[in-house]
Amino acid sequence: MFRRSPELQVFLVHPGGPFWAKKDAGAWSIPKGQYLDDEEPLEAAKREFAEETGFVPEGNFIELGDLKQPSGKIVIAWAFEGDCDPQKLKSNTFPMEWPPKSGRQIEVPEVDRGAWYSVEDARARLLAGQRPFLDRLLERIR
């Protein structure tokens, strides 16, 4: 999601859970997730955005293409113009073993917070493998 307020800003989310708790620069992400074989990627992106943020994505969707992440995973992204109050973010949760190899399961939010950032600030906060999406967004909306 992006907005013009008055400068261009993008909405990023911070991953939840104890592993990410003290990480900031280079840890934030675009809201994203996996899609099923029978699911259209754009519909999955809308579903994942809503699940991770509690906000319904609406508007004209701008395809930003795909990027291969350092992990080998392929991320396909779209952008849309919108607005939200990050204080009202409500994420789904998932179970994870913590501490590792302890056998103990805890429930953690998929994302623990969201925030609006200028493109420059977003570059410093985003996972390195997602930074090219910022350039693609700038190309497509100018």
Side-chain angles (χ1 to χ4, degrees):
M1 182 173 6
F2 68 93
R3 68 182 183 186
R4 305 166 207 254
S5 180
E7 70 176 333
L8 182 68
Q9 295 180 320
V10 294
F11 185 71
L12 302 180
V13 294
H14 185 270
F19 178 79
W20 296 100
K22 295 183 180 175
K23 295 178 170 67
D24 189 58
W28 290 68
S29 176
I30 60 172
K32 61 171 183 40
Q34 296 182 332
Y35 62 93
L36 307 172
D37 290 337
D38 63 343
E39 194 173 24
E40 289 296 319
L42 177 56
E43 294 309 310
K46 291 177 186 178
R47 176 184 51 75
E48 287 286 341
F49 187 94
E51 287 176 0
E52 290 189 358
T53 66
F55 307 125
V56 177
E58 300 176 314
N60 296 321
F61 291 87
I62 303 165
E63 187 171 353
L64 301 179
D66 60 63
L67 289 172
K68 186 173 186 176
Q69 301 301 284
S71 66
K73 180 192 247 183
I74 303 292
V75 175
I76 306 169
W78 286 263
F80 67 98
E81 191 163 3
D83 201 359
C84 69
D85 178 353
Q87 298 299 314
K88 295 181 179 175
L89 183 141
K90 183 173 167 90
S91 178
N92 58 342
T93 61
F94 68 96
M96 72 176 295
E97 183 180 31
W98 193 263
K101 300 180 183 177
S102 67
R104 184 173 155 242
Q105 293 286 316
I106 62 171
E107 195 77 16
V108 297
E110 203 161 334
V111 301
D112 59 15
R113 63 189 179 275
W116 287 102
Y117 292 106
S118 68
V119 172
E120 182 180 317
D121 288 343
R123 245 181 246 292
R125 296 205 187 300
L126 257 177
L127 293 163
Q130 294 179 18
R131 291 178 189 151
F133 284 134
L134 295 172
D135 296 323
R136 293 178 185 180
L137 173 64
L138 291 173
E139 290 169 8
R140 285 166 176 79
I141 64 172
R142 288 196 173 144

